Amino acid sequence: MPSRRSRIRRTVALIATVTVAGGGVVLTAPALVNAAPMDCAAAFNLFIPGTWETDENADPNRPVGMLAPIAEAITAQNGARAQIYMLPYMARAFDNGHTYADSKLDAVSKATAVLKSYADKCQGAKITITGYSQGADAAGDLASAIGNARGPVDADRVLGVALIADPGAGTQGAATVGPKTSGEGIAGPRSQGMGTLSGRVASICDPNDLYCSIQKGANPFLGSLGSILSKTPGTTGAGAGGGNAAVATALTSDFSGADLPGLGSNVDALGKQLRGIDTSGSVDVAEVADTATSLSKSLSPLAELLQSGAANSAATSNLAAAPAGTPENAAAQVLTTASHADLTGALDSVATIANTAAKLSNGGTTTLPATDPQISQLSTTAASLGSQIASVATTPADALQAASSVLSVLKPTVVVDQALNVVTGVTALDIPAILHNLIVLPQKIAAGDVRGARDAARELNVQFAPVVKMAAGVDLKWISQILAIIPDPSGYTQIAALVTSILGNVDVIKLANIAGQAQEIAWAAADKLFPPPGLLPDPVGAAAQTTALLPLGLELASVAANMLTGTATKTDPTLLGKQAANPVGNAITAQAQTLDLQGLAGSVSTMAQSQGAEDLAAVVREGLNAASFFASGAHQSYQNLVVDNAGRNAIAWVSDWLNLQITRAA
């Protein structure tokens, strides 16, 4: 039977094929109107803003975001001699159906076209390039291409390149300005360096900004996940591009066409259109198709989000803990109300309405009376739609609006947070001791060994603490599927994936509860058999307590058997697509075919004792924010980061440096 997730995708695809002519989204060079300014200036200053600071339709002449003060400083000092150009590009990540890498590729492509067009038209003009965050990622790639004679302009025309919070930090030929960092960018240094631009590229990174300063060698899992999030383009084909593309695609939502605040009004509008209320009983079928399609674009990403592991109760509870009025708290409200709605049924309803109306329109029918049998049937379907999404549609519009920004990137946020917790949590598990006590405790209970049962139960309680914490805060099955296809030569991620997959098929909470109950009963029985000095033993009472232990022992043995012998589940192809062979080249891979939890004991013990595990745990303690990988919100300290002895901050330094280069070239 097809999954509900598959049905959602098919529903949206069907609507798209009926109502949209042509193929999928294509990243293209900018239109000529945005390709280059009309007039030539002595210096052309290209600025590439960070994630969510601009979009494809932005005005290139209006400074925005972190780089705005730099552009304004150049204009103030040079006037018309210096042309300012803020690159309009996608500037998104995972929230619009495209990955971060798709967006960066869009920036590089459009920046290349802009520079080539301007350089060809204005032969004597010099060039500066400045980028921040995702924009620095693109600007650094562009600079590397130019410095290695693969770019749109000759290197001798470039006065300087300034990179702020560059995910490619550590690239050879880029001079560090300001405090030194202990790591490199999350995307990794550019392999070809800056070439002949070496010495003309300045890189500034706050040492606390994990986007541009992370010790990937000490944290192989985090490094691998960061590379996937920052480098892997999206794919429309299941499994195309290997496991990396599958992870990136699985973490991508498309809220770009969603109008959550308009859900209620659009449902009402659809009902009125089908009843011909404002059109004297006449129904415009094309208008009906448009409204239904708009509703589908709002409902489908929300439905997919709810059916992914990202919308688990742990993520919802964390959001709900945020202060009232915040986007996070609003997102928790929307997730709660949406979980009570029939979103899959609602998508079926809007698909029926959209496809029927589009078919009529394509067949030449423009209007029909509201009394037409086909329209009457669609009206009934629209009425069902209203009840199916009533809980969401009645949510205040301001809450729905605020929630959109959080919901659109909830998948990567949850994966980074939870996967890090899992990988570090696995190192905290004493797997050999847990396995030993899971076997011993039922045996001690069956043998009537009260003291032995008490001690084994007490140890299990302590040993299960990190397991329970992990299980309570993570969708184990979903995270194990993500972890299973992340390449990590160290084996950390593979171990975590296998352990997590097994735990995901075990009632961990029930195991812990049984162990806790067994401990309490065994303690009570031990107190009766071995009372304090001055009190007589009570073997009858102890026997009664021991009898209460027996059913617990049987239940524990049953649940534990599943944990001891349950093999790791394979990745669900409906979630991540077909996968290539696992690239991890170590002994753990060989174990994976028939591996059970017992077979992992030695590997986990070794991993838990390694320096890398301690370093990885330290990263989590530093409070890594998921946004560090793909958003600008986590690293906005550069207007306060002092970078030289004169006390200038990063923004002031770049402004002065670029102005100096422009003045010298005049």
Side-chain angles (χ1 to χ4, degrees):
M1 181 176 178
S3 67
R4 296 176 67 192
R5 183 181 179 87
S6 298
R7 288 175 59 200
I8 290 172
R9 284 180 169 165
R10 284 202 306 273
T11 297
V12 177
L14 184 56
I15 292 175
T17 55
V18 171
T19 61
V20 180
V25 176
V26 179
L27 302 180
T28 62
L32 186 59
V33 67
N34 278 342
M38 294 301 294
D39 300 320
C40 291
F44 179 67
N45 302 277
L46 174 65
F47 291 86
I48 309 181
T51 310
W52 297 317
E53 288 189 332
T54 188
D55 59 50
E56 298 96 323
N57 300 311
D59 180 357
N61 300 308
R62 185 175 69 86
V64 295
M66 183 69 73
L67 304 181
I70 302 174
E72 291 163 354
I74 291 176
T75 299
Q77 181 162 323
N78 295 279
R81 290 175 54 252
Q83 173 70 50
I84 300 300
Y85 190 90
M86 284 275 170
L87 185 74
Y89 77 104
M90 189 186 295
R92 304 283 285 272
F94 299 99
D95 62 332
N96 63 339
H98 292 283
T99 67
Y100 171 100
D102 290 334
S103 183
K104 188 186 79 168
L105 178 62
D106 187 40
V108 173
S109 173
K110 289 178 176 175
T112 297
V114 165
L115 287 182
K116 187 176 188 312
S117 176
Y118 193 85
D120 288 347
K121 178 183 176 184
C122 306
Q123 296 292 326
K126 297 295 185 179
I127 293 165
T128 73
I129 305 171
T130 305
Y132 164 64
S133 182
Q134 183 178 159
D137 204 349
D141 285 2
L142 187 59
S144 179
I146 293 172
N148 288 283
R150 295 181 288 105
V153 298
D154 292 335
D156 59 7
R157 298 187 66 175
V158 178
L159 299 175
V161 178
L163 307 177
I164 300 176
D166 176 22
T171 297
Q172 186 175 3
T176 300
V177 175
K180 301 292 183 181
T181 62
S182 58
E184 59 188 31
I186 192 67
R190 299 165 185 91
S191 60
Q192 290 192 316
M194 292 302 175
T196 57
L197 280 186
S198 295
R200 281 177 279 171
V201 180
S203 179
I204 299 177
C205 175
D206 187 327
N208 296 314
D209 186 349
L210 293 173
Y211 195 60
C212 54
S213 176
I214 189 168
Q215 297 185 44
K216 296 177 71 172
N219 305 292
F221 160 71
L222 193 56
S224 297
L225 182 57
S227 293
I228 290 172
L229 293 179
S230 61
K231 288 187 172 182
T232 308
T235 174
T236 55
N244 288 9
V247 173
T249 301
L251 302 187
T252 301
S253 299
D254 189 0
F255 277 80
S256 60
D259 178 15
L260 295 183
L263 275 175
S265 59
N266 282 337
V267 170
D268 291 342
L270 182 63
K272 290 180 179 179
Q273 290 167 3
L274 287 168
R275 294 194 300 273
I277 290 179
D278 298 327
T279 53
S280 303
S282 178
V283 176
D284 184 330
V285 293
E287 185 179 48
V288 168
D290 289 343
T291 303
T293 301
S294 175
L295 282 167
S296 175
K297 290 179 179 178
S298 296
L299 292 172
S300 57
L302 187 58
E304 285 205 340
L305 182 62
L306 283 174
Q307 292 181 25
S308 77
N312 64 76
S313 58
T316 305
S317 63
N318 291 337
L319 295 173
T326 62
E328 290 76 14
N329 188 271
Q333 294 180 47
V334 174
L335 287 173
T336 300
T337 56
S339 66
H340 299 145
D342 180 9
L343 295 185
T344 303
L347 280 169
D348 287 342
S349 296
V350 295
T352 298
I353 295 170
N355 295 331
T356 301
K359 185 177 180 180
L360 288 169
S361 180
N362 292 338
T365 301
T366 56
T367 61
L368 283 173
T371 54
D372 183 90
Q374 293 184 89
I375 299 300
S376 297
Q377 187 173 358
L378 293 184
S379 294
T380 302
T381 303
S384 299
L385 170 65
S387 61
Q388 288 164 335
I389 63 169
S391 59
V392 182
T394 55
T395 302
D398 57 347
L400 290 168
Q401 180 66 50
S404 296
S405 62
V406 175
L407 297 176
S408 62
V409 292
L410 192 60
K411 286 182 182 179
T413 300
V414 168
V415 164
V416 173
D417 288 344
Q418 294 196 349
L420 279 171
N421 287 336
V422 165
V423 174
T424 54
V426 165
T427 68
L429 302 182
D430 188 349
I431 297 293
I434 290 176
L435 296 175
H436 172 74
N437 284 319
L438 281 175
I439 296 170
V440 166
L441 181 55
Q443 294 175 347
K444 296 292 185 183
I445 291 173
D449 183 351
V450 175
R451 275 186 166 174
R454 178 196 62 187
D455 293 341
R458 179 180 58 202
E459 290 179 10
L460 262 183
N461 246 349
V462 175
Q463 294 155 355
F464 262 123
V467 184
V468 172
K469 183 179 179 180
M470 185 193 305
V474 175
D475 185 322
L476 293 169
K477 289 186 178 181
W478 192 61
I479 292 298
S480 72
Q481 292 169 338
I482 299 292
L483 292 174
I485 55 176
I486 292 178
D488 171 11
S490 73
Y492 277 39
T493 310
Q494 183 72 358
I495 294 172
L498 292 166
V499 173
T500 308
S501 180
I502 292 169
L503 293 177
N505 292 315
V506 175
D507 193 339
V508 173
I509 306 300
K510 185 175 182 179
L511 270 175
N513 287 339
I514 293 172
Q517 292 172 25
Q519 181 183 356
E520 291 179 8
I521 294 172
W523 269 111
D527 285 344
K528 292 182 183 299
L529 282 177
F530 310 103
L535 296 178
L536 295 175
D538 180 9
V540 175
Q545 294 284 355
T546 304
T547 301
L549 270 175
L550 291 176
L552 281 180
L554 292 172
E555 193 171 10
L556 178 66
S558 175
V559 179
N562 183 27
M563 184 173 182
L564 292 169
T565 61
T567 56
T569 56
K570 294 182 179 179
T571 302
D572 181 359
T574 63
L575 174 65
L576 297 176
K578 297 178 181 179
Q579 304 305 323
N582 196 299
V584 179
N586 54 33
I588 299 164
T589 305
Q591 295 175 334
Q593 300 300 320
T594 58
L595 188 66
D596 59 29
L597 194 58
Q598 209 156 3
L600 275 175
S603 297
V604 174
S605 297
T606 301
M607 184 178 78
Q609 297 167 8
S610 69
Q611 181 62 42
E614 295 177 9
D615 291 337
L616 185 56
V619 171
V620 179
R621 286 195 297 270
E622 289 174 9
L624 174 66
N625 189 308
S628 299
F629 287 115
F630 51 83
S632 59
H635 48 187
Q636 292 181 332
S637 64
Y638 293 92
Q639 289 178 319
N640 301 312
L641 179 68
V642 176
V643 299
D644 67 1
N645 293 332
R648 288 180 294 183
N649 63 42
I651 303 303
W653 188 94
V654 171
S655 300
D656 291 345
W657 180 62
L658 291 179
N659 270 325
L660 179 62
Q661 308 312 310
I662 295 169
T663 300
R664 285 175 174 173

